[in-house]
């Protein structure tokens, strides 16, 4: 951290000589990030392309005659590639969220705000919107000029076309998002006939508006004031975490100079104070003031500074990815990579591996059938007409497979018993549906004493013995 | 709720709510600016930790405080529209809303029920969709007494065995569900005395074809002819008009052991099936009757 305090921009309302009144809320100042070329920007473009190819493309991919990835909230069925999940599988969502969180922690501890800078939707959409903005209005200077210029036909034309493209893209984003919850092919058929239901229209517009508002208008405000992750990511940082930093030792004192002059003799550092690093910053900070909470780690300033250093024929890396300890010369820069194996990161990775291992293991062993058993509570035990002791149960069989099955029910663990299943004895359950069925279990008189006797119901698909469930229950005798 | 009938509480809440809103607004307005001496540094909050760690005084963005104002506007609008201080412009109450939703649901589902309320009960029992609907109704309203599999329990009739206390024709089943039943057997303990009760019980065992004490049974036959025939008939076949059980079919509501029969004769029985007509309405009762009729006739077919 540099010792110098940053200037907080304040608005002075009135000044009566001795006192001045100061506004406690800052006016929003629009940021005009300048276009930047370079290695890290290419990485970001790559991530934008990958994430958006997935996001816009995935709903259209079909599998087993349905959408490969579909969260059908109306029917409470979640199709995730080869799997069919039901609300009872909620634990897998928990596992996914846990794994995502722990993964993010590991990632942050090792590499700082890599997620924010390259893959976060807020960054990605802001980036896309900026491309559109640049394409329509031009780069930073042109945009500033346009905004300060008086209203003219050209200004209206540019603004209208920019917002139109933004809104179209936003609506398409909202539409795609809804397509994860409603089969997108049907949704498209409805939309092309202007036949969307009220709720679908609402959600398309809602997510469209959220995209337009966040990526078009709010931008860095989301990261600075709303995002919870931005608030607590600093707790995962340590002195070995990758940060983007200006090398003050090398750069200061700053100052402009002619190319090729012996600036060191004039007492200057490598920084030529061209402020390009400030102009490209999407959150509008000056990285040379040290690490700030606003910094989303997008590395645009690295690309910008490296470009300038190349022009000046100075070595690259005046602004670079480094760590606090490396900056303080506790170890050489090339040892940064070794620090990845420090305990803090390894613990996260270990927890992540455990969670993923358990999840994958339980998914591999998962059977597409769920059974719920409720003993009839009206009569604990009753006598059948021929004197056998009888308990009655209701079994709810949920078929979590994508094709219909018939099931047979047997019991296990009750000697001298017989099982009577309602109806034909075989239960037919449609794909992803559930069916409940009455089952009576009878035990020979005198073979089941008072109290509960543990037993199991075994439910097996007739066409595939691998699909079987074994559920514990109890038989009450007397 | 009478604790809150007094008008005082209305004022109490109104003052707190309005006072709170006004105080919040004033607080928010007063905290927008600060007076500082020339040259005073407002960049840091003035807190210091560990000697040199200071906190920046980062100003909130303007739109943030606007959102706060918007919440205040929202609460005022809410208090005008909804009950809070007074009834509210929209006259909303939770019971009104409930009533509306019930009417809505009824109009939606009534169509489904209406489809079957004209259908004869015997045909409902053969219609899979109607039976599925009936089953769901049954599992909601009837399961508590008759059990999930409708086989009843001690004191609650089995609906699947084709044996009926009040008759198993569609009309009778409908009548039973709609209007309820009250099955009563008087207590004869005091009238007969212990010995005579035992004799009668053994005759009942004989009627059912169960093991018994022959001597007692033949004595009990006399008692039966004098008293019990009135309801259970000469052959003990019962009487469905009265709801008197058939004693010969070995199908027992309370149990067929000698001890239980003695208890029945001594203390009598009183058994109530509630009337559902008011609560469920005709259409649902009709559908349920079809379902129950289907249950017993399915068993017979086997």
């Amino acid at each position: 951290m540099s010792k110098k305090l940053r200037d907080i921009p304040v608005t002075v309302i009135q000044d009566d000589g001795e006192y001045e009144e100061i506004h406690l809320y800052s006016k929003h100042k629009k940021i005009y990030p300048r276009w930047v070329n370079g290695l890290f920007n290419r990485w970001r473009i790559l991530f934008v392309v990958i994430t958006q190819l997935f996001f816009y493309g995935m709903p259209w991919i079909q599998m087993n005659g349905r959408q490969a990835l579909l969260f059908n909230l109306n029917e409470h069925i979640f199709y995730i590639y080869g799997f069919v999940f039901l609300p009872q599988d909620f634990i897998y969502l928990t596992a996914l969220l846990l794994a995502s969180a722990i993964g993010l922690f590991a990632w942050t501890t090792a590499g700082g705000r890599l997620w924010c800078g390259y893959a976060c939707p807020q960054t990605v959409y802001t980036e896309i919107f900026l491309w559109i903005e640049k394409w329509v209005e031009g780069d930073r200077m042109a945009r500033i000029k346009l905004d300060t210029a008086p209203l003219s036909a050209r200004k209206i034309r540019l603004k209208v076309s920019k917002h139109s493209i933004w809104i179209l893209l936003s609506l398409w984003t909202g539409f795609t998002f809804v397509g994860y919850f409603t089969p997108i092919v049907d949704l498209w058929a409805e939309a092309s006939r202007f036949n969307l239901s009220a709720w679908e229209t609402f959600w398309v517009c809602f997510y469209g508006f959220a995209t337009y508002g966040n990526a078009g208008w709010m931008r860095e405000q989301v990261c600075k004031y709303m995002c919870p992750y931005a608030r607590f990511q600093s707790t995962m940082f340590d002195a070995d975490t990758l940060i983007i930093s200006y090398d003050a030792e090398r750069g200061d004192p700053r100052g402009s100079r002619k190319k090729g002059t012996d600036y060191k003799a004039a007492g200057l550092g490598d920084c030529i104070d061209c402020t390009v690093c400030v102009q490209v910053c999407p959150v509008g900070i000056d990285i040379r003031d040290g690490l700030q909470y606003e910094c989303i780690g997008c590395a645009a300033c690295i690309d910008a500074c490296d470009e300038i250093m190349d022009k000046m024929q100075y070595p690259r890396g005046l602004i670079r990815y480094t760590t606090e300890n490396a900056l303080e010369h506790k170890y050489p820069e090339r040892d940064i990579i070794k620090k990845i194996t420090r305990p803090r990161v390894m613990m996260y990775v270990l927890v992540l591996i455990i969670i993923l291992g358990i999840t994958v293991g339980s998914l591999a062993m998962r059977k597409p059938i769920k059974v719920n058993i409720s003993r009839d509570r009206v009569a604990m035990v009753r006598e059948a007409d021929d004197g056998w002791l009888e308990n009655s149960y209701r079994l709810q069989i949920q078929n979590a497979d994508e094709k219909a099955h018939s099931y047979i029910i047997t019991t296990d663990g009750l000697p001298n018993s017989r099982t009577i299943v309602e109806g034909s004895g075989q239960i037919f359950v449609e794909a992803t549906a559930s069916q409940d069925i009455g089952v009576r279990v009878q035990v020979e008189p005198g073979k089941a004493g008072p109290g509960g006797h543990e037993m199991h119901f075994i439910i097996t698909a007739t066409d595939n013995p691998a699909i079987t469930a074994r559920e514990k229950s109890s038989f009450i005798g007397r | 709720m009478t604790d809150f009938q007094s008008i005082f509480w209305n004022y109490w809440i109104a003052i707190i709510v309005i006072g709170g809103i006004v105080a919040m607004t004033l607080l928010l307005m007063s905290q927008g600016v600060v007076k500082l001496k020339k040259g005073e540094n407002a960049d840091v909050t003035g807190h210091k930790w560990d000697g040199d760690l200071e906190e920046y005084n980062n100003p909130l963005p303007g739109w943030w405080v606007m959102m706060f104002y918007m919440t205040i506007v929202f609460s005022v609008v809410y208090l005008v529209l909804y009950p809070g201080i007074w009834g509210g412009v929209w006259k909303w109450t939770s019971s009104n809303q409930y009533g509306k939703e019930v009417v809505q649901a009824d109009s939606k589902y009534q169509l489904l029920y209406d489809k079957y309320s004209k259908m004869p009960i015997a045909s409902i029992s053969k219609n899979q969709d109607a039976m599925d609907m009936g089953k769901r109704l049954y599992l909601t309203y009837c399961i508590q007494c008759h059990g999930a599999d409708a086989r009843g329990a001690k004191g609650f009739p089995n609906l699947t065995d084709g044996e009926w206390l009040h008759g198993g024709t569609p009309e009778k089943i409908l009548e039973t569900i709609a209007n309820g039943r009250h099955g009563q057997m008087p207590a004869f303990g005091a009238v007969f005395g212990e010995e005579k009760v035992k004799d009668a019980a053994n005759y009942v065992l004989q009627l059912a074809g169960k093991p018994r004490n022959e001597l007692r049974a033949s004595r009990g036959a006399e008692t039966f002819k004098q008293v019990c025939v009135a309801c259970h008939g000469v052959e003990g076949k019962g009487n469905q008009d009265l709801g008197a059980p058939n004693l010969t079919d070995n199908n027992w509501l309370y149990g067929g052991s000698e001890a239980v029969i003695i208890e029945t004769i001594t203390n009598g029985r009183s058994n109530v099936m509630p009337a559902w007509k008011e609560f469920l309405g005709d259409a649902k009762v009709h559908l349920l009757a079809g379902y129950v009729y289907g249950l017993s006739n399915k068993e017979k077919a086997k």
Side-chain angles (χ1 to χ4, degrees), chain A residues 366-391:
Chain A
R366 183 175 176 268
K367 299 259 183 358
I369 175 175
K370 297 196 182 305
V371 180
N372 234 330
I373 298 176
S374 49
R375 275 189 78 262
D376 197 359
R377 288 179 291 274
V378 172
M380 292 239 252
V381 53
R382 60 183 169 220
E383 260 178 53
D385 294 343
D386 54 5
W388 284 51
L389 298 180
E390 176 181 273
N391 278 208

Side-chain angles (χ1 to χ4, degrees), chain A residues 6 22 24 26 221 376 382 440, chain B residues 32 56 63 148-149 151-152:
Chain A
R6 204 156 41 107
I22 286 175
L24 284 178
S26 58
Q221 303 274 315
D376 197 359
R382 60 183 169 220
R440 285 180 290 144
Chain B
Y56 268 130
W63 54 260
D149 55 0
R151 293 177 163 274

Side-chain angles (χ1 to χ4, degrees), chain B residues 10 13 17 21 73-97 100-101:
Chain B
N10 217 354
I13 299 226
V17 169
I21 290 177
V73 172
F74 175 87
S75 16
V76 172
V77 171
Y78 182 92
L79 286 174
V80 170
L81 295 179
Y82 284 94
I85 289 166
W86 57 299
V89 173
W90 285 355
K91 299 270 179 283
W92 180 93
T93 65
S94 54
S95 65
N96 275 355
Q97 177 164 346
K100 268 201 204 110
E101 283 176 22

Side-chain angles (χ1 to χ4, degrees), chain B residues 36-295:
Chain B
L36 285 177
K37 270 208 172 78
K38 266 281 172 65
E40 195 182 339
N41 185 10
D43 286 353
V44 284
T45 54
H47 308 148
K48 272 193 182 172
W49 294 271
D50 302 345
D52 65 342
L53 189 60
E54 289 191 90
E55 189 185 5
Y56 268 130
N57 196 356
N58 278 308
L60 273 175
W63 54 260
W64 192 276
V65 82
M66 278 315 297
M67 290 201 325
F68 209 143
Y69 280 116
M70 267 148 58
T71 59
I72 290 173
V73 172
F74 175 87
S75 16
V76 172
V77 171
Y78 182 92
L79 286 174
V80 170
L81 295 179
Y82 284 94
I85 289 166
W86 57 299
V89 173
W90 285 355
K91 299 270 179 283
W92 180 93
T93 65
S94 54
S95 65
N96 275 355
Q97 177 164 346
Y98 174 74
K100 268 201 204 110
E101 283 176 22
V102 167
V103 169
Q104 225 177 10
D106 280 350
S107 65
K108 186 171 157 187
Y109 299 124
Q110 203 54 47
L111 294 173
L112 293 172
Y113 294 121
D114 284 347
K115 206 161 84 183
Y116 300 115
S117 57
K118 302 278 175 289
M119 196 187 266
I121 286 173
S123 345
I124 286 182
S125 67
K126 293 184 185 64
N127 178 319
Q128 191 55 48
D129 283 349
M131 285 297 278
D132 283 346
M133 269 171 81
K135 181 179 175 179
R136 284 189 284 271
L137 285 173
Y138 176 89
L139 289 176
T140 309
Y141 299 110
C142 319
I143 187 172
Q144 291 81 345
C145 298
H146 294 284
D149 55 0
R151 293 177 163 274
K154 189 175 175 178
F156 300 102
N158 182 340
L159 307 177
T160 63
D161 57 4
E163 303 286 346
W164 298 93
L165 293 167
H166 295 272
T169 59
E171 299 71 36
K172 284 284 179 192
I173 295 176
L174 184 68
E175 195 180 301
T176 302
I177 300 173
N179 306 325
R181 297 284 182 191
H182 190 177
Q184 273 175 305
M185 155 134 179
F188 290 100
V191 183
F192 290 176
E194 216 170 301
E195 282 303 308
K196 247 179 149 182
V197 167
K198 236 185 188 154
D199 294 345
N202 273 280
Y203 180 70
V204 173
L205 286 171
Q206 181 185 323
L207 285 174
K210 288 174 85 122
R212 68 261 166 195
N213 178 325
E214 291 293 351
L215 186 64
R216 278 188 181 282
S218 60
R219 284 208 300 263
E222 285 306 307
T223 315
F224 191 89
K225 280 199 184 79
Q226 284 164 14
V227 181
C228 313
V229 286
C231 296
H232 291 282
V234 179
E235 295 175 358
K237 293 247 188 241
N239 180 339
Q240 292 192 336
D241 293 335
L242 301 169
N246 180 345
L247 304 175
T248 64
D249 59 3
N250 208 1
N251 181 311
W252 304 94
L253 189 55
Y254 285 93
S257 67
E258 189 191 12
V260 175
I261 297 172
I262 287 172
E263 189 193 330
T264 304
I265 300 171
T266 309
N267 303 327
R269 297 285 181 188
S270 176
N271 216 1
V272 175
M273 154 99 183
W276 290 94
K277 194 176 164 166
E278 284 301 305
F279 183 74
L280 289 179
D282 286 340
K284 285 181 190 167
V285 168
H286 188 85
L287 201 55
L288 273 169
Y291 177 72
V292 173
Y293 181 75
L295 281 180

